[in-house]
Amino acid sequence: QVQLAESGGGLVQPGGSLRLSCAASGVISGIPVMNWYRQAPGNQRELIAQLTKSGSTSYTGSVKGRFTISRDNAKNTVYLQMNSLNVEDTAVYYCSLLAPGGIEYWGQGTQVTVSS
């Protein structure tokens, strides 16, 4: 069974930075696609960053140029570096792992609050 555990959320002032981590455990056959999603109150969960098995990255427009997704295969961990945060980035952030067989696993989420 694959398990994901996010960490690194918290309270930050506008313009600040945070780095989220997502540690994966369990047996995974092949290199999975890793995603970061977020869900703000009253909104649907949205995909904001993706890292494919080949190492390609993609971002939704609102975070492009400010957020960076990366992976440390040795640590089975994916990161989301978030810079120039603004109040609209306030949300619960989730990582997901899309296994080669098509099953998507989710973490429990970590709260990011941007406020002065």
Side-chain angles (χ1 to χ4, degrees), residues 6-7 9 13 19 22 41 47 51 60 63 69-70 72 76 80 83 86 89 92 94 109 113 116:
E6 300 103 333
S7 60
Q13 292 187 339
R19 189 178 79 157
C22 174
L47 176 63
L51 177 60
T60 193
V63 309
I69 186 171
S70 62
D72 185 333
N76 289 327
L80 185 68
N83 299 327
N86 55 60
D89 295 315
V92 179
Y94 300 89
T113 302
S116 55

Side-chain angles (χ1 to χ4, degrees), residues 3 57 60 63 79 88 93 95 101:
Q3 293 186 321
T57 59
T60 193
V63 309
Y79 303 98
E88 289 76 25
Y93 285 70
C95 68

